[in-house]
């Protein structure tokens, strides 16, 4: 939370200092996630989030001749299921919120841009039960996004983005039950939106 | 180093650090939870062993609790305790006000005689209080008669009566979930004379394993 507050304050100060150069963006789309965790009681059990509607908000300022520095916030919500022997059990819904500090710039191909970022991903379960009975974890996440941008009208661009993120997953409850390490979680998203230069 | 390069290295470090699978724990060996019935369908001596757990279609299991000596709060606490044993929402229960739709009836009274010779009674006995759960598998052996009846009986007033009732309620709710045997370990809540104030790792492992195996019986209402 302290990192998030500091980042917002820094962005606010920087934004004020270079208000003419700020670029804001908003995208909506969907995110797929790989398995959140695995277990074996009698048969193997996997826990996985479904396809998650996603909202991504970004703000950046120039960080060099070609590159920009900025913050990106990504929000999503999905149902979570445990699967054992092909039978699904609903574990409720899981919201995620991530805040990433990153950079963006042009790729080799015209109209294509990259965005990379590192930050924190907070899991917010709808109910404090089961694997989340001691709350949702906060994990480090790294994102890489490839964007295709096309001018809509002066100052505005529309954007199609393909995002890949990697984070890890475990919870306090799992750790207290003797689960070790954490599960690598791959997240892939497809989003459309707009970018506006101020 | 350019900012983009620095961030690339950070992301690469994240990727390398995160590429693992979670390590699953080694759980304790469960204790026996199956119901042993010492006679066959004709009433002749023969031992049958039957496993029971509530099916998903019965969730949440409905408990009606006599409003006496704080029993509803004790049962709610027992439900929360057992619910916390599960990682994947295998079992859930609520306390209801309508006894006619209840799957489990909890009374606070002297433990009555068994209603029929076929009823299996699982009793717990502590100095200050006692509990009993009556299980009836009907004659078919594949049916688990509901409502299951539970009795909580405070035997005499003492400073530790409240704790006794709390432990006993948790123990009896354990029986109603399908733990149809007593543990031989005093550290387990399902020990015959329960003394543990919380679920042991074996209690958790046993109820987890129970709800991930097939049930031999299904609940029926006459």
């Amino acid at each position: 939370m302290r990192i998030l507050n500091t980042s917002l304050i820094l962005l606010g100060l920087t934004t004020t200092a270079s208000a003419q150069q700020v670029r804001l963006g908003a995208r909506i789309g969907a995110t797929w996630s790989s398995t959140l965790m695995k277990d074996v009681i009698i048969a193997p059990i996997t826990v996985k989030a479904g396809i998650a509607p996603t909202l991504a908000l970004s703000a950046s300022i120039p960080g060099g001749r070609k590159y920009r520095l900025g913050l990106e916030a990504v929000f999503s919500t999905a149902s979570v299921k445990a699967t054992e022997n092909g039978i699904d059990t609903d574990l409720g819904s899981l919201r995620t919120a991530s805040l990433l500090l990153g950079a963006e710039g042009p790729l080799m191909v015209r109209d294509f841009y990259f965005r990379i970022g590192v930050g924190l991903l907070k899991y917010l379960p709808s109910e404090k039960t089961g694997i989340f009975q001691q709350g949702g974890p906060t994990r480090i996440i790294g994102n890489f996004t490839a964007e295709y941008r096309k001018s809509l009208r002066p100052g505005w661009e529309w954007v199609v983005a393909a995002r890949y993120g990697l984070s890890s997953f475990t919870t306090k409850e799992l750790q207290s039950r003797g689960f070790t390490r954490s599960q690598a979680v791959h997240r892939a998203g497809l989003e459309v939106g707009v970018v506006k230069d101020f | 180093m350019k900012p983009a390069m620095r961030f690339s290295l950070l992301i690469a470090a994240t990727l390398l650090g995160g590429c693992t699978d979670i390590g699953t724990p080694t759980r304790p060996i469960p204790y026996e939870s199956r119901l042993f019935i010492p006679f066959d369908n004709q009433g002749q001596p023969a031992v049958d062993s039957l496993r029971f757990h509530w099916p998903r279609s019965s969730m949440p299991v409905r408990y009606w609790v006599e409003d006496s000596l704080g029993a509803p709060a004790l049962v709610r606490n027992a439900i929360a305790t057992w619910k916390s044993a599960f990682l994947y929402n295998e079992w859930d229960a609520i306390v209801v006000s309508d006894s006619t739709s209840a799957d489990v009836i909890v009374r606070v009274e002297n433990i009555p005689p068994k209603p029929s010779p076929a009823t299996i009674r699982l009793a717990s006995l502590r100095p200050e209080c006692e509990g009993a759960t009556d299980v009836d598998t009907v004659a078919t052996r594949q049916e688990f008669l509901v409502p299951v009846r539970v009795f909580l009986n405070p035997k005499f007033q003492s400073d530790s009566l409240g704790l006794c009732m709390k432990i006993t309620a948790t123990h009896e709710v354990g029986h109603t979930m399908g733990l149809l045997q007593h543990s031989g370990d005093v550290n387990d809540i399902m020990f015959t004379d329960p003394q543990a104030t919380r679920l042991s790792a074996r209690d958790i492992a046993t109820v987890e394993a129970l709800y991930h195996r097939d049930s031999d019986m299904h609940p029926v209402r006459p």
Side-chain angles (χ1 to χ4, degrees):
Chain A
M1 201 62 195
R2 195 184 305 160
I3 294 170
L4 190 148
N5 289 340
T6 309
S7 304
L8 287 173
I9 290 165
L10 280 175
L11 182 72
L13 291 173
T14 320
T15 304
T16 310
S18 48
Q20 273 75 35
Q21 299 166 318
V22 172
R23 177 178 292 167
L24 300 178
R27 306 190 305 273
I28 55 169
T31 300
W32 168 91
S33 295
S34 65
T35 298
L36 288 176
M37 63 157 295
K38 299 168 186 172
D39 191 7
V40 178
I41 295 177
I42 303 297
I45 300 166
T46 56
V47 175
K48 200 170 180 301
I51 300 289
T54 302
L55 169 69
L57 303 171
S58 62
S60 66
I61 54 168
R65 197 168 58 82
K66 285 183 174 177
Y67 303 105
R68 300 178 70 86
L69 301 175
L71 282 177
E72 185 179 39
V74 183
F75 307 94
S76 68
T77 182
S79 60
V80 182
K81 286 187 167 65
T83 305
E84 182 183 26
N85 293 327
I87 298 168
D88 291 338
T89 303
D90 183 18
L91 301 186
S93 69
L94 180 63
R95 284 179 291 152
T96 62
S98 57
L99 184 70
L100 299 103
L101 188 60
E104 60 180 81
L107 286 168
M108 306 284 238
V109 186
R110 191 174 164 225
D111 294 333
F112 280 85
Y113 297 83
F114 73 88
R115 182 193 299 276
I116 53 174
V118 174
L120 296 176
L121 169 66
K122 176 69 180 170
Y123 289 91
L124 301 156
S126 57
E127 287 181 55
K128 281 193 169 182
T129 57
I131 61 174
F132 294 113
Q133 56 190 282
Q134 293 187 50
T138 303
R139 311 296 295 179
I140 292 173
I141 184 169
N143 269 5
F144 175 82
T145 308
E147 294 183 353
Y148 173 76
R149 293 186 200 157
K150 204 70 181 170
S151 181
L152 267 176
R153 58 182 184 177
W156 288 86
E157 289 178 308
W158 66 270
V159 56
V160 177
R163 182 170 41 79
Y164 168 77
L166 180 69
S167 62
S168 61
F169 182 84
T170 187
T171 65
K172 282 184 184 172
E173 180 61 25
L174 293 174
Q175 288 171 331
S176 72
R177 300 277 189 119
F179 284 79
T180 57
R181 302 190 301 274
S182 55
Q183 178 71 40
V185 180
H186 306 272
R187 293 158 60 88
L190 196 60
E191 295 144 11
V192 293
V194 291
V195 173
K196 167 89 170 114
D197 284 326
F198 291 92
Chain B
M1 192 184 290
K2 289 179 179 176
M5 181 66 79
R6 275 184 229 143
F7 281 116
S8 299
L9 288 173
L10 255 174
I11 288 177
T14 307
L15 288 171
L16 290 172
C19 285
T20 57
D21 275 351
I22 198 165
T24 54
T26 304
R27 293 175 164 88
I29 296 170
Y31 46 78
E32 182 59 73
S33 64
R34 289 173 299 173
L35 181 69
F36 291 99
I37 299 176
F39 48 84
D40 63 16
N41 291 358
Q42 278 72 48
Q44 299 302 311
V47 176
D48 199 358
S49 59
L50 300 165
R51 184 177 289 119
F52 172 77
H53 65 72
W54 295 95
R56 293 194 182 281
S57 56
S58 293
M59 303 296 173
V61 180
R62 291 156 297 180
Y63 287 71
W64 180 90
V65 188
E66 184 177 348
D67 192 3
S68 173
L69 298 175
L74 293 173
V75 172
R76 282 193 185 94
N77 176 76
I79 288 170
T81 299
W82 281 110
K83 196 176 171 185
S84 72
F86 295 100
L87 289 177
Y88 310 109
N89 292 358
E90 294 94 328
W91 179 84
D92 195 9
I94 52 172
V95 174
V96 296
S97 57
D98 181 2
S99 62
T100 58
S101 66
D103 301 308
V104 180
I105 300 274
V106 182
R107 304 298 304 265
V108 181
E109 62 181 24
N110 288 326
I111 297 172
K114 285 204 299 181
S116 77
T119 301
I120 307 293
R121 171 160 288 174
L122 299 157
S124 64
L125 190 61
R126 283 174 54 91
E128 311 92 326
C129 67
E130 60 186 349
T133 300
D134 285 351
V135 173
D136 193 335
T137 67
V138 200
T140 67
R141 292 290 190 274
Q142 294 171 343
E143 296 173 327
F144 188 86
L145 194 65
V146 295
V148 178
R149 295 191 181 274
V150 173
F151 303 95
L152 299 174
N153 181 33
K155 291 198 290 191
F156 60 85
Q157 189 59 249
S158 81
D159 291 344
S160 56
L161 178 60
L163 180 63
C164 178
M165 291 290 279
K166 184 179 171 186
I167 292 170
T168 301
T170 306
H171 177 100
E172 300 307 328
V173 167
H175 283 316
T176 66
M177 295 167 70
L179 298 176
L180 302 177
Q181 287 290 326
H182 285 126
S183 150
D185 189 329
V186 70
N187 295 308
D188 300 330
I189 201 87
M190 296 311 292
F191 185 62
T192 312
D193 172 11
Q195 294 169 37
T197 54
R198 62 177 65 180
L199 302 185
S200 68
R202 277 193 353 130
D203 288 317
I204 293 171
T206 303
V207 81
E208 275 189 315
L210 173 63
Y211 274 76
H212 287 267
R213 292 185 185 279
D214 290 335
S215 178
D216 300 315
M217 298 181 281
H218 62 271
V220 291
R221 192 178 296 274

